[in-house]
Amino acid sequence: MSARIHARYFVETPCDLEHAAQVMAGEQSSGTFTRLASETDALRTAHGARVESIQHLEVVDRPSLPMRADLTPTVRHGYQRALVELSWPLENFGPSLLNLVSTVAGNLFELKEFSGLRLLDLELPPAFADAYPGPQFGTAGTRRLSGVELGPLIGTIIKPSVGLTPEQTAEMVEQLIEGGIDFIKDDELQANGPHSPLKARVDAIMPLINAHAERTGKKVMYAFNISGDIDEMRAHHDYVVAAGGTCVMVAINSVGLAGVAQLRRHCQVALHGHRAGWGLYSRSPHIGIGFAAYHKLWRLAGVDHIHVNGLRNKFSEEDDSVIASAQACQAPLFGASAPDYTVMPVFSSGQSAVQVADTHAALGNSDLIYCCGGGIMAHPGGIAGGVASLRQAWEAAAAGIAPEIYSRDHIELAQAMETFR
Amino acid sequence: MSARIHARYFVETPCDLEHAAQVMAGEQSSGTFTRLASETDALRTAHGARVESIQHLEVVDRPSLPMRADLTPTVRHGYQRALVELSWPLENFGPSLLNLVSTVAGNLFELKEFSGLRLLDLELPPAFADAYPGPQFGTAGTRRLSGVELGPLIGTIIKPSVGLTPEQTAEMVEQLIEGGIDFIKDDELQANGPHSPLKARVDAIMPLINAHAERTGKKVMYAFNISGDIDEMRAHHDYVVAAGGTCVMVAINSVGLAGVAQLRRHCQVALHGHRAGWGLYSRSPHIGIGFAAYHKLWRLAGVDHIHVNGLRNKFSEEDDSVIASAQACQAPLFGASAPDYTVMPVFSSGQSAVQVADTHAALGNSDLIYCCGGGIMAHPGGIAGGVASLRQAWEAAAAGIAPEIYSRDHIELAQAMETFR
């Protein structure tokens, strides 16, 4: 019996639901819904997608996504919502990440039968683990590279996003290192622009990081944004490695799956996945790809870190969604039958010591990167005060002590609670 | 004065529109909306995104996309829709396709201020033409490779999509060649699966195409689906070229921009761009990327053909949108100051001779690939009849003769009009 790929969808349709699900299965497997002479029963049995289950949800009066004008007048009984699970034999395309995407997230989004169709989750057979090495460093490797044994990596992002020279960036990095930071990243808008070429940035920054590492034994992890064309990314990766860097960053949606998977096979340092453009997949409940499915693709492609926003963030994402995403990153990808492919979730956007207790309570661990901008820079004690406040907040959380109690004899945490509340 | 990149958006917001537009500009350029000390006036002037124009549209009562629960209660005056144009100095990231995408289609989709945000169009300075070679063959090159001097390339897709052996596929190809077809493509679900490895398919098909070319001088263009990891695509491209093939196909959304741009630099044959997954970008009017913007990215990356559906297709796309997309493919990318980077639009999905007159009338030319499945296979005269009916329909359209008139002495067209009407 062959291994199968499973995918779960939210759908909404004015058609008979059983028929609509069969249209999805047909479009994404052996043929169109109309059977051709050459589509034998044996072929359909061997290669057809299977409708595994249909779970009815509510009926709504109006289509959530516009349907073709020539189709809508025939709708009489509203738009049925449902959860549909399909499965495919692995033989249809083998353990190929790109052809998986064309199958589970391809033409079906355009089917005229649906006024809503969203990929929610994916379940992949372990054959994919043989084909894709997955995260090279993950949590344990990132801790080893950064020397942070306990608690999250306390991080920040270089701002302004665009416009600083390499020298100005290095000045900021120097202050951050002195302030005790663990992790720094380029903004996703800053890769290799004419005013801050990647190599010049590496040249300005890495001597500071290396000197500090020699002095203290602690090497701050800097995620250099190398997003670019394939040859450019490879050359820039090599430049970062030669300079002693421990992390490169890519804007995964912009680069794409083939590019990230290729970079992973060449990569010698932690691969930081920024999901700029994620709103395209996430903002509508009626079209798109849920994080549960989305992030599995990038874990297979091999990122070590992936962004999840943070509690009470500056964007549109709700707290429940943030926590579910972080939990997904930390769950094994293939069950017990393969390496776990876990990645470190990266919290960011409007974060400070104030959200730490809730974040730890929801997640139950500190295996993450916790990036703050204002939560560090705007702390009354400066950068060192901001970083200290965050460490204290995470210490308190890990020890099960309320921040109000812990802050009585931890002044930086007290200042943060006062400033950012 | 520096070159600038322009992007136009549809937006919907409960906030003051001027403020909301500035938030977009801030998020995607020099920094966050809150100004940091290091963000000087000079830096903002040099690198900040500029709000070029705001055009108010209607106000709606309800948010089109869900907004965060903690923000909605403050909305008092409804949700203002508008068209917003932003511009960025090219210096921010240089002519980098990937960093362009992170900038014009990045974090801004997640901004909490918006209940709708869709990228509609892009205007790029010619510096991008220096950085990306664009389509290598386009219309003229595709005509040269396929020997089709006038009219569209009449094409079809191998179905069933998945499940045929290479030998069964070759049998079908043989019939299509004998029937006079110009262009055949693999289905986007069929790349290199265990039951039909790419090399075995090339081995089975190319001798037929080559033998026919030697006999008749006409080499049928077969778009082999090589979508896969970078090294795999390169190897498979080389295999197709060595066997005498003239086209390779990739599922562009699955492969991603970096992978397609890399393949283009290596490619020696026509690069056929399949947009499986396009519904993700197109189905919602409130989030996503319009074809006008979307297809420019892939033209820069270097595809020669791109899919646009067809009139009265089987999917959810309206006819107006299909024609606008095809026109966009045929319009110069940079105005008069650079090569035109035009690509051939590929019509498909439920097409037959019946839609030809309307397609030609709307588009005004035949510089396209016209793919039919049933419109060829289900023709009463068989494959040859189907192909003939399509050529007759396009001849009639080019000559300005109504198909009802032309079909009086063109039996295959008459049969098609009767069968597919």
Side-chain angles (χ1 to χ4, degrees), chain A residues 30 62 68-69 91 98-99 102 107 110 114 132 160-161 188 194 227-229 254 258 283 309 313 315-316 318, chain B residues 30 62 68-69 91 98-99 102 107 110 114 132 160-161 188 194 227-229 254-255 283 309 313 315-316 318:
Chain A
S30 57
R62 297 192 304 181
R68 253 169 48 191
E91 276 85 353
L98 306 192
N99 293 299
S102 295
N107 279 351
E110 288 188 74
F114 294 90
Y132 294 91
S161 317
E188 84 278 5
S227 305
D229 293 323
S254 308
R283 282 296 311 267
N309 280 324
N313 61 72
F315 291 120
S316 50
E318 301 277 6
Chain B
S30 56
R62 296 193 304 181
R68 254 173 43 194
E91 276 85 356
L98 306 192
N99 293 299
S102 295
N107 279 352
E110 287 189 74
F114 295 90
Y132 294 91
S161 316
E188 84 279 5
S227 305
D229 294 324
S254 308
V255 169
R283 282 296 312 268
N309 280 324
N313 60 72
F315 291 120
S316 51
E318 300 276 5

Side-chain angles (χ1 to χ4, degrees), chain A residues 26-32 36 38-40 43 47 62 64-71 90-99 101-103 105-116 131-132 159-164 168 172 187-195 225 227-233 251 253-259 261-262 265 274-289 309 312-318 377, chain B residues 26-32 36 38-40 43 47 62 64-71 90-99 101-103 105-116 131-132 159-164 168 172 187-195 225 227-233 251 253-259 261-262 265 274-289 309 312-318 377:
Chain A
E27 177 65 29
Q28 297 304 145
S29 66
S30 57
T32 54
L36 298 171
S38 48
E39 189 180 350
T40 60
L43 185 148
H47 297 286
R62 297 192 304 181
S64 295
L65 298 176
M67 298 192 75
R68 253 169 48 191
D70 56 330
L71 301 172
L90 179 61
E91 276 85 353
N92 278 21
F93 45 89
S96 162
L97 188 50
L98 306 192
N99 293 299
V101 172
S102 295
T103 300
N107 279 351
L108 81 184
F109 289 122
E110 288 188 74
L111 289 171
K112 70 177 187 309
E113 285 79 3
F114 294 90
S115 53
Y132 294 91
K159 298 271 182 184
S161 317
V162 175
L164 296 182
Q168 290 169 324
M172 193 167 289
D187 193 88
E188 84 278 5
L189 300 176
Q190 182 58 273
N192 190 37
H195 63 282
N225 182 5
S227 305
D229 293 323
I230 300 277
D231 294 339
E232 185 186 7
M233 287 196 288
N253 295 314
S254 308
V255 169
L257 274 169
Q262 175 80 357
R265 292 181 195 277
H274 193 286
R275 61 174 185 172
W278 163 240
L280 264 177
Y281 304 92
S282 63
R283 282 296 311 267
S284 169
H286 308 118
I287 187 83
I289 303 182
N309 280 324
R312 306 190 282 284
N313 61 72
K314 299 180 307 176
F315 291 120
S316 50
E317 189 166 1
E318 301 277 6
M377 298 294 179
Chain B
E27 177 65 29
Q28 298 303 147
S29 65
S30 56
T32 55
L36 299 171
S38 49
E39 190 180 349
T40 61
L43 184 148
H47 296 287
R62 296 193 304 181
S64 295
L65 298 176
M67 298 191 73
R68 254 173 43 194
D70 56 331
L71 302 172
L90 180 61
E91 276 85 356
N92 278 23
F93 46 88
S96 163
L97 188 50
L98 306 192
N99 293 299
V101 172
S102 295
T103 300
N107 279 352
L108 81 185
F109 288 122
E110 287 189 74
L111 289 171
K112 71 176 186 307
E113 286 79 2
F114 295 90
S115 53
Y132 294 91
K159 298 270 182 183
S161 316
V162 175
L164 296 183
Q168 289 169 325
M172 193 167 290
D187 193 89
E188 84 279 5
L189 300 176
Q190 181 57 274
N192 190 37
H195 63 285
N225 182 5
S227 305
D229 294 324
I230 301 277
D231 295 338
E232 185 186 8
M233 286 196 290
N253 296 313
S254 308
V255 169
L257 274 168
Q262 174 81 356
R265 292 181 196 276
H274 193 286
R275 60 174 187 172
W278 163 240
L280 264 177
Y281 304 92
S282 64
R283 282 296 312 268
S284 169
H286 308 118
I287 188 82
I289 303 183
N309 280 324
R312 306 190 284 284
N313 60 72
K314 298 181 306 175
F315 291 120
S316 51
E317 189 166 2
E318 300 276 5
M377 299 294 179

Side-chain angles (χ1 to χ4, degrees), chain A residues 255-271:
Chain A
V255 169
L257 274 169
V260 173
Q262 175 80 357
L263 179 62
R264 160 64 182 90
R265 292 181 195 277
H266 180 72
C267 198
Q268 298 174 43
V269 294
L271 187 46

